[in-house]
């Protein structure tokens, strides 16, 4: 029995009590939940439903809890129900009901943990979106790991997700990039406000070899092509792929900035002043109004932001989620106001996530310089230092709104204090147990021959309860946009499995005959690998069979 199954049973019992007592069924919630008590002595799960419903039903919570306890106690799989305090329900499952979860997980396989919590939601998720003027730096790497994990989570929770990379190939930064390449190719110093680093010389040399007579525009076009191809390759090597790579230049070429301006005019939120066209974002909480088109006729970056948002909405995405770095915190107010100017509800249609800085540390000292970029740590530097799995796990393990220091020494260590090693070791150990079992002729047997009631050991029960939490963790991590919840949960499961492994032998020893207990424990072992593999998969991290 999963926690979701038990919660449904509790709600069903409440409905029966309400019918029997002729209480108002409208007071019943559509769903409820159960929680694992901090103290295992209080039971396997706890429910506060009686406390929530007592006042609405006009019945003292403890009296309602007593009626619920009597109804629940008669349900299959429930061993006992105790009332605590003003109306808490502490529930214990019988061993068979608890153990059944192991078979359910194995049979569900890769689908275990998937829910329908976000069914029907169409979400556009934009992340990284680094300008094609240099390699992806460590801040963008964080969003690559977190954004990709979030996309996987949202899909596991039932949402339809389109991932998107906004390719800013227009504007002054591209101008400086092109001039830097052109100067490098001619053996001249790059402009004072240009870009440095070995990668500029490498790209310039490539273009010069391909087209010796290329002019500045040639270096702009080909340079952007080469730089963006490298960005896409490095992201692909990191396991990150986007459904859509959207070029800002297309917005200009297709006249979408004018379309957005016309729409905003229709909504009545633009005005003319000082020869420029403005958007009255201050009406919707922004600290000042914003220029859309300057007096010289040039469009602003904000006008492109407006056009891009409208483009996403008109592609059918009801929720636009944008991940930005810490230096973009000031964008929130203007973007939310812009959404409102289009007639949308910013609380529903637009969500902006801000990520904080990442520092790479070695021997207690910050790693500041890149081999190629010169001034920043790049994606390639990060992967070279940690490896893809450790890099992705380390970045996804912490709440994105907190600054983190990634210690290279810790994350490359093959010890239990390295979180990714700790979790992946369980993935490998469960696979090894299964191989050893097969070598001695131990198999799980048919699902109908499974004996869940044999999984009654304290450490078996602890592991089962941890495995049962996985769907709720996935759903909450998706809803709260917090992939780190999955990583921390996997570490909890890893700890529970190690304690189970130390106390409950799966394979027979010596001449010991294979028993139903061995088979039942093999189901539990394999269920653990399923959960670990599924969870690591959501983070884009492998679940090795050997280490």
């Amino acid at each position: 029995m999963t926690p979701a199954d038990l919660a449904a049973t509790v709600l069903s019992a409440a409905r029966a009590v309400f019918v029997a007592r002729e209480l108002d069924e409208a007071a019943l919630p559509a769903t409820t939940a159960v929680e694992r008590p901090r103290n295992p002595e209080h039971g396997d799960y706890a429910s506060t439903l009686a406390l929530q419903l007592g006042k609405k039903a006009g019945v003292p919570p403890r009296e309602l809890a007593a009626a619920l306890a009597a109804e629940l106690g008669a349900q299959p799989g429930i061993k006992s129900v105790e009332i605590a305090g003003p109306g808490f329900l502490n529930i214990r499952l019988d061993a068979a009901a608890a153990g059944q979860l192991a078979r359910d997980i194995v049979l569900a396989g890769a689908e275990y943990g998937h829910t329908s919590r976000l069914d029907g939601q169409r979400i556009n998720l934009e992340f990284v979106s680094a300008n094609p003027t240099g390699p992806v730096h460590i801040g963008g790497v964080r969003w690559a790991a977190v954004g990709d994990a979030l996309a996987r989570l949202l899909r596991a929770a039932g949402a339809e997700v389109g991932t998107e990379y906004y390719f800013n190939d227009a504007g002054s930064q591209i101008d400086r990039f092109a001039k830097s390449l052109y100067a490098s190719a001619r053996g001249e110093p790059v402009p004072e406000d240009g870009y440095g680093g070995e990668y500029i010389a490498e790209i310039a040399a490539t273009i010069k070899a391909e087209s010796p007579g290329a002019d500045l525009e040639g270096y702009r076009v080909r340079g952007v092509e080469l730089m963006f191809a490298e960005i896409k390759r490095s992201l692909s090597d990191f396991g990150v792929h986007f459904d859509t790579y959207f070029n800002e230049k297309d917005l200009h070429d297709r006249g979408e900035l004018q379309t957005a301006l016309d729409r905003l005019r229709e909504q009545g939120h633009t005005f003319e002043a000082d020869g420029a066209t403005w958007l009255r974002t201050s009406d919707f909480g922004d600290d000042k109004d914003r220029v859309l088109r300057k007096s010289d006729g040039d469009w602003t970056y904000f006008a492109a932001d407006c056009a891009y948002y409208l483009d996403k909405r008109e592609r059918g995405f009801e929720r636009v989620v944008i991940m930005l770095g810490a230096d973009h915190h000031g964008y929130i107010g203007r973007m939310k106001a812009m959404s409102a100017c289009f007639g949308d509800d910013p609380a529903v249609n637009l969500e902006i996530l801000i990520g904080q800085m990442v520092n790479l540390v070695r021997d207690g000292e910050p790693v500041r310089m890149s081999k190629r970029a010169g001034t920043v740590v790049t994606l390639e530097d990060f992967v070279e230092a940690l490896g893809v799995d450790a890099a992705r796990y380390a970045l996804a393990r912490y709440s994105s709104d907190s600054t983190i220091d990634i210690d290279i020494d810790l994350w490359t260590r093959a010890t239990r204090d390295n979180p990714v090693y700790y979790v992946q070791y369980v993935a490998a150990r469960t696979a090894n147990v299964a191989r050893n079992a097969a070598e001695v002729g131990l198999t799980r047997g048919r699902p109908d021959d499974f004996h869940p009631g044999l999984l009654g050991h304290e450490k078996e029960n602890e592991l089962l309860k941890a495995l049962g939490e996985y769907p709720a963790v996935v759903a909450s991590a998706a809803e709260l946009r917090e992939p780190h919840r999955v990583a921390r949960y996997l570490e909890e499961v890893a700890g529970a499995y190690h304690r189970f492994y130390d106390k409950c032998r799966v394979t027979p020893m010596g001449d010991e005959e294979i028993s139903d207990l061995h088979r039942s424990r093999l189901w539990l072992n394999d269920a653990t690998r399923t959960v670990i593999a599924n969870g690591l998969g959501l983070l884009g991290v492998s679940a090795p069979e050997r280490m």
Side-chain angles (χ1 to χ4, degrees):
M1 181 181 291
T2 67
D5 293 335
L6 179 57
T9 300
V10 170
L11 188 56
S12 178
R15 189 170 290 110
V17 168
F18 270 55
V19 170
R21 292 187 165 219
E22 298 182 347
L23 301 175
D24 183 8
E25 293 182 61
L28 291 169
T31 61
T32 190
V34 294
E35 299 177 350
R36 288 166 59 189
R38 291 184 180 179
N39 186 346
E41 294 181 0
H42 293 165
D44 297 323
Y45 295 98
S47 170
T48 60
L49 188 59
L51 290 171
Q52 298 168 26
L53 295 178
K55 185 175 181 180
K56 293 180 181 178
V59 178
R62 191 170 175 88
E63 179 183 331
L64 185 57
L68 275 171
E71 184 69 28
L72 277 171
Q75 301 302 312
I78 294 181
K79 183 178 180 180
S80 65
V81 184
E82 297 174 357
I83 305 168
F88 294 100
L89 293 172
N90 291 332
I91 305 167
R92 287 181 171 81
L93 303 180
D94 64 36
Q100 190 66 44
L101 178 64
R103 186 186 72 168
D104 294 343
I105 292 173
V106 173
L107 294 182
E111 293 300 308
Y112 180 66
H114 286 214
T115 72
S116 58
R117 188 77 66 90
L118 302 182
D119 272 5
Q121 291 194 24
R122 292 201 69 211
I123 299 173
N124 180 283
L125 179 62
E126 180 198 342
F127 56 100
V128 182
S129 293
N131 290 330
T133 54
V136 178
H137 62 75
I138 195 167
V141 178
R142 183 175 198 177
W143 274 139
V146 175
D148 189 62
L150 181 54
R152 296 167 188 245
L153 274 166
L154 293 169
R155 287 168 179 148
E160 180 182 343
V161 182
T163 57
E164 195 143 321
Y165 186 117
Y166 185 53
F167 177 21
N168 185 338
D169 54 353
S172 59
Q173 291 175 316
I174 299 298
D175 292 338
R176 295 199 301 272
F177 176 63
K179 290 175 182 177
S180 300
L181 293 174
Y182 195 52
S184 178
R186 293 156 62 100
E188 301 171 355
V190 299
E192 187 174 335
D193 61 348
Y195 293 90
E198 291 180 15
Y199 76 95
I200 290 291
E202 293 169 4
I203 294 173
T206 298
I207 299 172
K208 185 175 181 179
E210 292 176 349
S211 306
D215 59 9
L216 178 61
E217 182 62 20
Y219 275 85
R220 176 203 301 274
V221 174
R222 185 61 178 146
V224 168
E225 287 178 355
L226 291 171
M227 191 70 257
F228 194 51
E230 181 175 328
I231 290 172
K232 291 174 74 173
R233 176 196 54 75
S234 62
L235 287 169
S236 177
D237 291 344
F238 197 52
V240 177
H241 306 272
F242 291 87
D243 299 319
T244 301
Y245 292 91
F246 194 102
N247 287 14
E248 180 189 352
K249 188 172 181 294
D250 290 342
L251 293 171
H252 292 265
D253 293 346
R254 296 196 297 249
E256 292 194 39
L257 279 77
Q258 184 64 51
T259 299
L261 175 56
D262 293 343
R263 184 73 59 85
L264 291 167
R265 276 189 176 133
E266 292 170 7
Q267 296 288 333
H269 299 303
T270 63
F271 66 96
E272 307 294 323
D274 302 323
T277 302
W278 298 67
L279 185 64
R280 212 182 300 275
T281 52
S282 61
D283 286 352
F284 297 97
D286 194 8
D287 58 350
K288 62 182 180 181
D289 296 326
R290 305 288 171 175
V291 177
L292 294 172
R293 197 163 200 171
K294 295 183 284 187
S295 58
D296 61 5
D298 287 344
W299 295 101
T300 63
Y301 284 119
F302 185 60
D305 290 338
C306 294
Y308 187 35
Y309 172 79
L310 182 61
D311 183 277
K312 290 176 178 178
R313 292 285 287 120
E314 294 198 331
R315 279 185 273 147
F317 293 105
E318 64 185 28
R319 193 168 189 88
V320 173
V321 180
I322 307 173
M323 297 176 140
L324 299 172
D327 56 338
H328 287 75
H329 198 277
Y331 277 53
I332 296 177
R334 74 187 72 169
M335 293 294 287
K336 289 283 188 178
M338 173 266 291
S339 171
C341 287
F342 276 118
D344 283 348
D345 181 349
V348 173
N349 302 116
L350 178 62
E351 184 175 346
I352 298 177
L353 306 177
I354 299 294
Q356 295 302 318
M357 297 297 293
V358 180
N359 302 306
L360 194 60
V361 177
R362 177 186 278 124
D363 299 327
E365 297 294 328
V367 176
R368 299 189 183 279
M369 304 298 286
S370 168
K371 295 176 183 176
R372 292 185 65 237
T375 57
V376 295
V377 176
T378 68
L379 172 53
E380 288 82 0
D381 299 325
F382 198 64
V383 170
E384 182 181 348
L386 271 71
V388 171
D389 279 350
R392 289 191 61 133
Y393 192 98
L395 291 167
R397 185 178 184 261
Y398 302 93
S399 173
S400 57
D401 61 5
S402 62
T403 300
I404 54 174
D405 292 330
I406 303 295
D407 188 334
I408 295 174
D409 299 329
L410 170 66
W411 287 94
T412 55
R413 197 178 297 155
T415 57
R416 290 170 65 103
D417 58 347
N418 175 351
V420 71
Y421 178 85
Y422 185 60
V423 174
Q424 286 187 315
Y425 185 77
V426 171
R429 172 169 271 187
T430 51
N432 186 58
V433 167
R435 284 193 299 272
N436 291 341
E439 288 176 2
V440 299
L442 170 60
T443 65
R444 293 193 304 261
R446 296 182 308 164
D448 291 345
D449 294 334
F450 177 48
H451 296 274
L454 297 176
L455 298 175
H457 192 280
E458 176 188 357
K459 299 306 176 185
E460 292 167 342
N461 188 253
E462 179 186 343
L463 178 54
L464 284 164
K465 284 191 285 187
L467 298 178
E469 294 295 320
Y470 180 63
V473 170
V474 171
S476 63
E479 289 186 315
L480 298 172
R481 318 302 196 232
E482 294 181 341
H484 70 274
R485 290 173 175 265
V486 175
R488 298 308 177 100
Y489 163 79
L490 291 176
E491 292 162 33
E492 178 186 343
V493 171
Y497 179 81
H498 284 306
R499 292 186 289 274
F500 156 76
Y501 183 88
D502 290 342
K503 297 294 183 180
C504 305
R505 187 169 180 84
V506 177
T507 55
M509 295 183 64
D511 296 331
E512 183 183 3
E513 291 187 6
I514 295 173
S515 68
D516 288 335
L517 177 58
H518 294 125
R519 296 188 185 92
S520 298
R521 286 177 172 171
L522 184 57
W523 279 95
L524 182 52
N525 175 84
D526 294 354
T528 304
R529 175 164 175 86
T530 296
V531 170
I532 291 288
N534 289 357
L536 286 173
L538 291 177
L539 301 178
V541 177
S542 69
E545 295 192 356
R546 290 180 170 84
M547 290 186 73

